[in-house]
Amino acid sequence: MADIVDIAVGAGAFNTLVTAVQAAGLVETLKSPGPFTVFAPNDDAFAKLPPGTIQTLVQNIPQLTRILTFHVVPGKLKQADLAKLGTVTSVEGSPIKIDCSDGFEVKNATVLAADIEADNGVIHVIDTVILMG
């Protein structure tokens, strides 16, 4: 089975995320055994950010790394697991609210595709880049 990075690269809908992960030097981490739960913003999610945001983040690697690691949770948590928890703590260290009462939402993002199995975890595709705070 492919790992999280290989799935994201192969899907073709995560070009911005893959570029950001490469710029932040997180490829090897996300290819490690993990396991990880990744809330993966698709290209449309990144396109919602104000113009110039992505370029600014790529020039500020510490901030980019914080935002990317906020999208990752230790462990392999499927939708059913997350629904029971209500809140999880990101690798970055901040809490992420999970709401499965009406659909599947992660903080302010809607999950478009859940429970995509990877060799080293699980991916949930989200429609918005989530931010701490």
Side-chain angles (χ1 to χ4, degrees), residues 27-77:
V27 172
E28 287 309 310
T29 300
L30 291 174
K31 282 181 130 337
S32 73
F36 303 107
T37 299
V38 177
F39 302 112
N42 62 16
D43 289 337
D44 292 340
F46 279 100
K48 290 182 187 178
L49 294 172
T53 302
I54 296 164
Q55 290 79 1
T56 301
L57 288 173
V58 170
Q59 294 168 359
N60 184 345
I61 298 304
Q63 185 178 6
L64 176 64
T65 301
R66 267 192 79 205
I67 291 170
L68 291 173
T69 56
F70 182 62
H71 288 76
V72 181
V73 174
K76 185 174 185 176
L77 301 169

Side-chain angles (χ1 to χ4, degrees), residues 89-108:
T89 301
S90 71
V91 169
E92 180 270 336
S94 298
I96 303 171
K97 186 177 181 303
I98 308 294
D99 183 357
C100 294
S101 60
D102 183 25
F104 183 11
E105 292 191 350
V106 177
K107 195 152 193 229
N108 59 326

